[in-house]
Amino acid sequence: MRARTVVGGAVATVVVGGLAVGGVVAALHLLDVEPPVDERCVAAVDGVNTGLEPEQADNAALVALTAVRREMPARAATIGLATAYGESRLRNLDHGDRDSLGMFQQRPSQGWGTVDEVQDPVYATNTFYDALEKVDGYEELRVTEAAWAVQRSAFPEGYQPFADRSRAWASALTGYSPATLTCLLRGVASPAAAADAVSGFTERVTRDLGDVPVEEQAAAPDDGSGAANGGEDGGDADPRATVVVHATGFGGTGEDDAVRMSWAVAQWAVSTASTTDAVAVTVDGRRWVRGEDGWVTDAAGTEELPAGSVRVDLAVATA
C-alpha cells in the first residue's frame, strides 16, 4: 500500500546613452519589489522543527484532530500522521501502487471502501483509525509497528523515518505543545462575501471537529498592522468576519483541559488557514496573523474570550 515514491539567472547589460537610463531605473525599481511569500507551515517541538506545504498541513490537521474527536490518545495522532506521510506525503493521491488511492493509499480491492470513499480524506482517516483501534496495545508499539499492523505494506520499517516529525505535529495539533505550529501564508487573493466565508468555515469545523459550537461575532477593529487581503504578506487590517469556536469539551475532555483543547483548535485553524481564508487566530493571550511568522502576545485581544475559546478572523470581500 506504500506509494511509490533552474535556478534562473538574469544578466543586465548597461548601455551608455539616454535610452539605457530608463532601463536601469526600471531594473532598480524591480529590486524594491517584495518577493512573494514562500508559503510554509512549521511545527517546532522539543528540538524537532518540521515544515509542510499548506496542502499537507491542511491534511495533517484533519488526521490529528480526527484522533482527538474520536477521544483517542495523542499517540494515535502520531501514528496516523506517520502513516499518511509515509504512504502519500500527506496528499490525497488519485493514484498509487496497483489500486491504492488517497492519503492512506487504501485499496478498494482489499475491502477498504469504494474508489470514491478511499479518496475522501474524512472517510479514509476514520477507516484507518477504526483499524488502528483493533490493534492490541498499539500505544505501546513503535510507530512503524503500529502503522504496519494496519497497512500491511511491503515495507514494515517504512513509517519509522516519519515518527519524530509526526510526533511534533501531533503534539501541536492535540494542544500539548501550545504556540509551536505556525504558517507563513500569502494574502487571500479572492476573499468570499462575509456570509459565505463564515458558512465555509463553519462547514469545515463540522467536517473536522464535529458538533463544536461556532459563534459569529462583530469583527474585531482593524489595528493597522498588515496588508490587504490580496496582498503578498497577508496581515489583519482588512475587511473580515469574526467567529469564535468554543473548544471546551471537545474530544470528550473536561473543564481542566479547556486551554489545551483551545490550543488544539487554534493550531488546527492555522494549519487549515490556506483553505478557510483565516487571516488571524487568537487564543490564550496569543495571536497568529497571516503573513507573519509565529505567535505574538496579545493579552488585550483575549480579554473577552472565555477559557477554551478561539477567535478566528476570516478574510472577506470589500462590500
Side-chain angles (χ1 to χ4, degrees):
M1 295 171 60
R2 180 177 173 82
R4 292 171 183 164
T5 327
V6 182
V7 176
V11 178
T13 301
V14 179
V15 180
V16 178
L19 292 177
V21 174
V24 172
V25 170
L28 291 175
H29 174 71
L30 289 175
L31 294 177
D32 292 332
V33 176
E34 289 287 337
V37 171
D38 182 14
E39 296 190 306
R40 196 73 170 161
C41 296
V42 176
V45 179
D46 294 336
V48 177
N49 190 315
T50 302
L52 295 175
E53 294 176 9
E55 176 193 354
Q56 296 171 301
D58 187 278
N59 287 326
L62 170 65
V63 173
L65 272 293
T66 298
V68 178
R69 179 180 176 180
R70 293 171 63 111
E71 302 182 27
M72 299 177 77
R75 181 71 168 176
T78 297
I79 296 166
L81 288 167
T83 304
Y85 202 100
E87 293 288 358
S88 67
R89 297 302 186 267
L90 283 164
R91 299 184 191 281
N92 191 27
L93 301 180
D94 62 359
H95 61 276
D97 180 44
R98 289 173 281 189
D99 61 335
S100 299
L101 295 167
M103 257 203 301
F104 290 90
Q105 289 290 279
Q106 294 156 335
R107 298 181 61 191
S109 65
Q110 300 300 307
W112 284 97
T114 67
V115 169
D116 289 339
E117 285 173 337
V118 299
Q119 291 184 91
D120 174 356
V122 175
Y123 174 91
T125 301
N126 278 290
T127 302
F128 172 81
Y129 284 132
D130 286 343
L132 181 64
E133 287 182 314
K134 296 175 183 176
V135 177
D136 289 339
Y138 74 84
E139 294 180 61
E140 307 303 323
L141 297 177
R142 293 169 60 229
V143 167
T144 198
E145 291 171 346
W148 184 83
V150 174
Q151 301 294 97
R152 299 291 179 176
S153 79
F155 304 95
E157 290 295 314
Y159 308 100
Q160 198 61 32
F162 311 111
D164 288 345
R165 71 186 68 182
S166 298
R167 189 175 297 111
W169 277 81
S171 185
L173 286 167
T174 56
Y176 284 104
S177 297
T180 55
L181 191 160
T182 186
C183 290
L184 184 61
L185 302 172
R186 300 187 186 100
V188 179
S190 301
D196 293 335
V198 172
S199 175
F201 181 81
T202 303
E203 288 175 5
R204 182 58 190 265
V205 169
T206 301
R207 193 199 84 160
D208 289 10
L209 311 183
D211 191 20
V212 173
V214 178
E215 173 190 359
E216 184 176 4
Q217 292 191 339
D222 295 346
D223 59 11
S225 62
N229 289 328
E232 289 294 348
D233 58 349
D236 66 343
D238 312 296
R240 55 205 162 155
T242 298
V243 295
V244 173
V245 183
H246 299 287
T248 300
F250 176 53
T253 57
E255 294 286 342
D256 292 344
D257 273 330
V259 173
R260 179 172 72 84
M261 284 298 96
S262 68
W263 273 107
V265 171
Q267 295 187 122
W268 166 86
V270 172
S271 289
T272 59
S274 65
T275 301
T276 64
D277 292 349
V279 294
V281 179
T282 306
V283 62
D284 192 29
R286 306 292 289 275
R287 184 175 177 83
W288 169 86
V289 175
R290 191 184 189 105
E292 299 181 11
D293 195 10
W295 292 83
V296 298
T297 301
D298 185 30
T302 57
E303 284 180 354
E304 298 180 0
L305 272 180
S309 295
V310 181
R311 188 174 69 227
V312 181
D313 295 334
L314 306 169
V316 300
T318 303

